[in-house]
Amino acid sequence: PRSAWPSQRLALAAPGPRTNVHMRTHMHPLLAALLALASSCGALVVPLQPRVGSFRLPPCSRGHRPLLSGPLDVSDLGLTMDDLETPLPDLAGGSSIATSGCESTSRLPGSDDSGCRWEETAERIEARLSIPGLRGQPAAAMGVEVTSATATITAFGRVVWSCVLRGACVPDTLTFSAEDGTGMLPEISISIGKAEPGKRWGGLIASIGEDSIL
C-alpha cells in the first residue's frame, strides 16, 4: 500500500556555477522534472515520500547538544512495576538476557559507596564487591560463605561483612575469587546459582548484616 505523504518538506536550491547535480538512473521521472524546473526557476519546495527501510542518525557534531539532554518520559508505554518482576527469558542456544547495576555495601544511613556491581541472568547472579571497610586487608585472606539466603565475607576467618540476599540461591554453586585492587582495597568476585531460575533479583543485597564492620 502507498504510504501517506509526510509533513516534512525539502527546499531544493538551484545549482550554482560550481555545483554538480548527480542523478541516479532510478530517479522517478516526476522528481527529475521538478529538479530541472528548480534549476531554471531558482528554488522549489516539494514534499518527500520516504522509502521503507532502515536509517541511522548522524553523530552529534562537536558543540551541539544531544536531542535527549534530560529525563525521558516513558509513561505512554504503559509499563507497571509488575513488568519489572517478570522472569528473565532464556534465549535460543542456551543464552539469556542479563541485567546489571550497582548498590551500596555500607550500613551507614545515606551512604552510597556503589561498592557492589552486580549482573544477573536467568540462572545466576554475579557480583564484584569493593567494600571500603576492608581497605588494607590482603586479598589472600578473604573468604566467602553463603547460605540459601545470606552471603558472608571473612578476613583471616573472621566475619567482616554480611548481607541478606534478594533471592534464594543454591549454596553449592558458589564460586568466588579475590584480588588486590587500587588503593589497597580488595575486590571480591562471587557467582551463585539461583534456586528459582528465571526469577528476577534486581540486585544482590536486600540488607546489610549487623556484624558488618561498616
Side-chain angles (χ1 to χ4, degrees), residues 106-189:
S106 175
R107 295 181 61 240
L108 299 178
S111 175
D112 184 5
D113 56 30
S114 298
C116 175
R117 290 165 289 170
W118 58 268
E119 179 176 293
E120 69 171 323
T121 63
E123 302 289 336
R124 301 186 69 84
I125 185 163
E126 299 178 352
R128 192 171 183 87
L129 299 166
S130 300
I131 304 172
L134 298 181
R135 190 179 305 277
Q137 299 291 337
M142 297 291 103
V144 178
E145 301 173 1
V146 297
T147 67
S148 61
T150 64
T152 301
I153 294 178
T154 61
F156 297 102
R158 176 171 174 250
V159 174
V160 291
W161 186 89
S162 65
C163 74
V164 176
L165 301 174
R166 287 180 180 261
C169 74
V170 181
D172 292 342
T173 63
L174 168 70
T175 60
F176 77 91
S177 62
E179 60 185 21
D180 294 317
T182 58
M184 301 179 65
L185 187 63
E187 294 188 349
I188 303 165
S189 299

Side-chain angles (χ1 to χ4, degrees), residues 83-110:
D83 296 321
L84 302 179
E85 300 297 331
T86 55
L88 293 169
D90 287 322
L91 305 179
S95 300
S96 64
I97 295 176
T99 59
S100 61
C102 61
E103 50 196 354
S104 178
T105 63
S106 175
R107 295 181 61 240
L108 299 178

Side-chain angles (χ1 to χ4, degrees), residues 61-73:
S61 301
R62 182 175 298 178
H64 288 74
R65 297 178 61 186
L67 295 178
L68 299 178
S69 57
L72 179 63
D73 183 6

Side-chain angles (χ1 to χ4, degrees), residues 25-39:
T25 57
H26 64 270
M27 181 178 292
H28 195 282
L30 176 59
L31 181 57
L34 290 174
L35 288 173
L37 180 60
S39 64

